[in-house]
Coordinates of all heavy atoms in Angstrom, one line a residue:
D24 N 19.6 -1.7 -10.0 CA 18.9 -1.8 -11.3 C 19.6 -0.9 -12.3 O 20.6 -0.3 -12.0 CB 17.4 -1.6 -11.1 CG 17.0 -0.1 -10.8 OD1 17.9 0.7 -10.8 OD2 15.9 0.2 -10.5
L26 N 18.9 2.0 -13.1 CA 19.0 3.4 -12.7 C 19.7 3.5 -11.3 O 19.5 4.4 -10.6 CB 17.6 4.0 -12.6 CG 16.8 4.0 -14.0 CD1 15.4 4.4 -13.8 CD2 17.5 4.9 -15.0
R28 N 19.3 1.9 -8.6 CA 18.4 1.8 -7.4 C 18.5 0.4 -6.7 O 18.4 -0.6 -7.4 CB 16.9 2.0 -7.8 CG 16.7 3.4 -8.4 CD 15.3 3.6 -9.0 NE 15.1 2.7 -10.1 CZ 14.0 2.7 -10.9 NH1 13.1 3.6 -10.7 NH2 13.9 1.9 -11.9
M215 N -4.4 7.8 -7.9 CA -3.5 7.3 -8.9 C -4.3 6.5 -10.0 O -5.3 5.9 -9.7 CB -2.4 6.4 -8.3 CG -1.4 7.1 -7.6 SD -0.1 5.9 -7.2 CE -0.9 4.9 -5.9
V255 N 8.3 7.3 0.3 CA 7.3 7.8 -0.7 C 6.6 9.1 -0.3 O 6.3 9.9 -1.1 CB 6.3 6.7 -1.0 CG1 6.9 5.6 -1.8 CG2 5.5 6.3 0.2
S273 N 2.3 11.0 -5.9 CA 2.7 10.0 -6.9 C 2.5 10.5 -8.3 O 3.1 10.1 -9.2 CB 2.0 8.7 -6.7 OG 1.2 8.7 -5.6
P277 N 6.5 12.7 -9.2 CA 6.9 11.2 -9.1 C 8.2 11.0 -8.4 O 9.1 11.9 -8.5 CB 7.0 10.8 -10.6 CG 6.5 11.9 -11.4 CD 6.4 13.1 -10.6
F278 N 8.3 9.9 -7.7 CA 9.6 9.6 -7.0 C 10.2 8.4 -7.5 O 10.8 7.6 -6.7 CB 9.3 9.6 -5.5 CG 7.9 9.0 -5.2 CD1 7.7 7.6 -5.2 CD2 6.8 9.8 -4.9 CE1 6.5 7.1 -5.0 CE2 5.6 9.3 -4.6 CZ 5.4 7.9 -4.7
C279 N 10.1 8.1 -8.8 CA 10.7 6.9 -9.3 C 12.2 6.8 -9.1 O 12.8 5.7 -8.9 CB 10.4 6.8 -10.8 SG 8.7 6.8 -11.2
G280 N 12.9 7.9 -9.1 CA 14.3 8.0 -9.0 C 14.9 7.2 -7.8 O 16.0 6.7 -7.8
D281 N 14.1 7.2 -6.7 CA 14.5 6.5 -5.5 C 13.7 5.3 -5.2 O 13.7 4.8 -4.1 CB 14.4 7.5 -4.3 CG 15.5 8.4 -4.3 OD1 16.6 8.1 -4.8 OD2 15.4 9.5 -3.7
C282 N 13.0 4.8 -6.2 CA 12.0 3.7 -5.9 C 12.8 2.3 -5.7 O 13.3 1.8 -6.6 CB 11.0 3.6 -7.0 SG 9.8 2.2 -6.7
S283 N 12.7 1.8 -4.5 CA 13.4 0.6 -4.1 C 12.5 -0.5 -3.7 O 12.9 -1.4 -3.0 CB 14.4 0.9 -2.9 OG 13.6 1.5 -1.9
R284 N 11.3 -0.5 -4.3 CA 10.3 -1.5 -3.9 C 10.0 -2.5 -5.0 O 9.9 -2.3 -6.1 CB 8.9 -0.8 -3.7 CG 8.8 -0.1 -2.4 CD 7.5 0.6 -2.2 NE 7.3 1.6 -3.3 CZ 7.9 2.8 -3.3 NH1 8.6 3.2 -2.3 NH2 7.7 3.6 -4.3
R286 N 7.3 -5.9 -5.6 CA 6.0 -6.4 -5.2 C 5.8 -7.9 -5.6 O 6.3 -8.2 -6.7 CB 4.9 -5.6 -5.8 CG 4.9 -4.2 -5.3 CD 3.7 -3.4 -6.0 NE 3.3 -2.3 -5.1 CZ 3.9 -1.1 -5.1 NH1 5.0 -0.9 -5.8 NH2 3.5 -0.2 -4.3
Y294 N 6.7 -8.2 -9.4 CA 6.5 -7.0 -10.2 C 7.5 -5.9 -9.7 O 7.6 -5.7 -8.5 CB 5.1 -6.4 -10.0 CG 4.1 -7.3 -10.8 CD1 3.5 -8.4 -10.2 CD2 3.7 -7.0 -12.1 CE1 2.6 -9.2 -10.9 CE2 2.8 -7.8 -12.8 CZ 2.3 -8.9 -12.2 OH 1.4 -9.6 -12.8
T295 N 8.1 -5.2 -10.6 CA 9.1 -4.2 -10.1 C 8.5 -2.8 -10.2 O 9.3 -1.8 -10.0 CB 10.4 -4.3 -10.9 OG1 10.1 -4.3 -12.3 CG2 11.1 -5.6 -10.6
C296 N 7.3 -2.7 -10.5 CA 6.6 -1.3 -10.5 C 5.1 -1.5 -10.3 O 4.5 -2.5 -10.8 CB 6.9 -0.6 -11.9 SG 6.1 1.0 -12.1
L297 N 4.5 -0.6 -9.6 CA 3.1 -0.6 -9.4 C 2.3 -0.6 -10.7 O 1.1 -1.1 -10.7 CB 2.7 0.6 -8.5 CG 1.3 0.7 -8.0 CD1 0.8 -0.5 -7.2 CD2 1.3 1.9 -7.0
F298 N 2.9 -0.1 -11.7 CA 2.2 0.1 -13.0 C 2.7 -0.9 -14.0 O 2.5 -0.7 -15.2 CB 2.4 1.5 -13.5 CG 1.8 2.6 -12.6 CD1 2.6 3.1 -11.6 CD2 0.5 2.9 -12.6 CE1 2.1 4.1 -10.7 CE2 0.0 3.9 -11.8 CZ 0.8 4.4 -10.8
A299 N 3.3 -2.0 -13.6 CA 3.8 -2.9 -14.5 C 2.7 -3.6 -15.3 O 1.6 -3.7 -14.9 CB 4.7 -4.0 -13.8
R329 N 15.8 -4.0 -14.3 CA 14.7 -3.1 -14.1 C 15.0 -1.7 -14.6 O 16.0 -1.1 -14.3 CB 14.4 -3.1 -12.6 CG 13.4 -2.1 -12.1 CD 13.3 -2.1 -10.6 NE 12.2 -1.4 -10.1 CZ 12.3 -0.4 -9.2 NH1 13.5 0.1 -8.9 NH2 11.2 0.2 -8.8
E330 N 14.0 -1.2 -15.4 CA 14.2 0.2 -15.8 C 12.9 1.0 -15.6 O 12.7 2.1 -16.1 CB 14.7 0.3 -17.2 CG 13.9 -0.6 -18.2 CD 14.5 -0.6 -19.6 OE1 15.8 -0.3 -19.7 OE2 13.8 -0.8 -20.6
D331 N 12.0 0.5 -14.7 CA 10.7 1.1 -14.5 C 10.8 2.5 -14.0 O 11.5 2.8 -13.0 CB 9.8 0.4 -13.5 CG 9.7 -1.1 -13.8 OD1 9.0 -1.4 -14.8 OD2 10.4 -1.9 -13.2
R332 N 10.0 3.4 -14.6 CA 9.8 4.8 -14.0 C 8.5 5.3 -14.6 O 8.4 6.4 -15.1 CB 11.0 5.7 -14.2 CG 11.5 5.8 -15.6 CD 12.9 6.4 -15.6 NE 13.2 6.8 -16.9 CZ 13.1 8.1 -17.4 NH1 12.7 9.1 -16.7 NH2 13.5 8.3 -18.6
Y333 N 7.5 4.5 -14.4 CA 6.2 4.8 -15.0 C 5.7 6.3 -14.7 O 5.3 7.0 -15.6 CB 5.1 3.8 -14.6 CG 3.7 4.2 -15.1 CD1 3.3 3.8 -16.3 CD2 2.9 5.0 -14.3 CE1 2.0 4.1 -16.8 CE2 1.7 5.4 -14.8 CZ 1.2 5.0 -16.0 OH 0.0 5.3 -16.5
S334 N 5.7 6.6 -13.4 CA 5.1 7.9 -13.0 C 5.9 9.1 -13.6 O 5.3 10.1 -13.9 CB 5.1 8.0 -11.5 OG 4.1 7.2 -11.0
E335 N 7.2 8.9 -13.8 CA 8.0 10.0 -14.4 C 7.6 10.1 -15.9 O 7.7 11.2 -16.5 CB 9.5 9.7 -14.3 CG 9.9 10.0 -12.8 CD 11.4 9.8 -12.7 OE1 12.1 9.3 -13.6 OE2 11.9 10.0 -11.5
L336 N 7.3 9.0 -16.5 CA 7.0 9.0 -17.9 C 5.5 9.1 -18.2 O 5.1 9.2 -19.4 CB 7.4 7.7 -18.6 CG 8.9 7.3 -18.4 CD1 9.2 5.9 -18.9 CD2 9.8 8.3 -19.1
R337 N 4.7 9.2 -17.2 CA 3.2 9.1 -17.3 C 2.8 10.1 -18.4 O 3.1 11.3 -18.5 CB 2.6 9.5 -16.0 CG 1.1 9.5 -16.1 CD 0.5 9.9 -14.7 NE 0.4 8.8 -13.8 CZ 1.1 8.8 -12.7 NH1 2.0 9.7 -12.4 NH2 0.9 7.8 -11.8
Ligands
SF4_4 FE1 8.3 3.0 -8.3 FE2 6.9 2.4 -10.6 FE3 5.8 4.0 -8.7 FE4 7.9 4.9 -10.2 S1 5.9 4.4 -10.9 S2 7.7 5.1 -8.0 S3 9.1 2.9 -10.4 S4 6.3 1.8 -8.4

Side-chain angles (χ1 to χ4, degrees):
D24 71 7
L26 300 172
R28 297 169 297 189
M215 285 188 287
V255 292
S273 359
F278 34 77
C279 303
D281 280 337
C282 179
S283 54
R284 279 176 303 282
R286 294 180 153 82
Y294 287 88
T295 54
C296 178
L297 186 52
F298 298 91
R329 176 185 192 237
E330 46 187 27
D331 307 286
R332 49 193 196 101
Y333 174 89
S334 287
E335 285 181 356
L336 302 173
R337 183 181 275 112

